[in-house]
Amino acid sequence: MTSATKGAGPAGAPSSPIERTIALIETVVDKVGALSAVTCLVLVLVMATNVFLRYLFATGSIWAQELEWHLLVPICMLGAAYALRHGEHIRVDVLYAHYPERLKAFADLLTAIVALLVSGLILKLSLPYVLQSWSMNEGSANPGGVEMRYILKAFIPFGFALYFLQSAADALKAWLRLFPR
């Protein structure tokens, strides 16, 4: 049970619209974060296959090599919101750990607001970048490389939209801690 659901309804279910919104956002972020974890497994399999083919059969493909670094994008962009959701992001815990609870809530609220602003800005700036790539049907510059690079680039606004949502959920949780009902 999160701090936002203390005092929740039966069986720990969120009781207020704000708590239900937080729960919905965090459910989405968890599901997308699981997709990021699966992508890690796919990356390991692609890399192992490439090494196996290269050293045992002296063969390989540009497409498979490009796929390796293309898989890093969804891992990072989808995993960022998941890391934030589970508190695995960077924070100066040596200071934060000694803050009183109210100051922690204020610091969390302030941090979430800054994250909302930054992720919103990157989301806004990245959309034309993706649309330009899509309009010219951008692909790899290498012969035989991965085509449809705009799909890869679309992870930038998608990942920052998820990060924006998780930051909003964190801001709401911090607000509820600062101003409990």
Side-chain angles (χ1 to χ4, degrees), residues 77 115-131 153-165:
M77 297 312 301
L116 281 166
L117 294 171
V118 170
S119 58
L121 178 65
I122 293 172
L123 177 59
K124 180 182 178 199
L125 294 174
S126 66
L127 286 173
Y129 175 69
V130 175
L131 291 174
K153 290 181 177 184
F155 279 101
I156 298 168
F158 183 71
F160 277 98
L162 278 173
Y163 200 85
F164 183 91
L165 287 173

Side-chain angles (χ1 to χ4, degrees), residues 32-87:
V32 174
L35 182 61
S36 177
V38 169
T39 307
C40 288
L41 176 62
V42 172
L43 176 61
V44 168
L45 293 174
V46 168
M47 290 178 84
T49 302
N50 283 342
V51 169
F52 179 77
L53 290 173
R54 190 175 316 121
Y55 289 103
L56 291 180
F57 298 106
T59 187
S61 81
I62 294 171
W63 185 86
Q65 287 179 333
E66 281 190 6
L67 182 60
E68 290 176 9
W69 61 268
H70 279 65
L71 287 171
L72 288 172
V73 173
I75 290 169
C76 295
M77 297 312 301
L78 302 179
Y82 184 81
L84 180 63
R85 154 118 172 77
H86 291 282

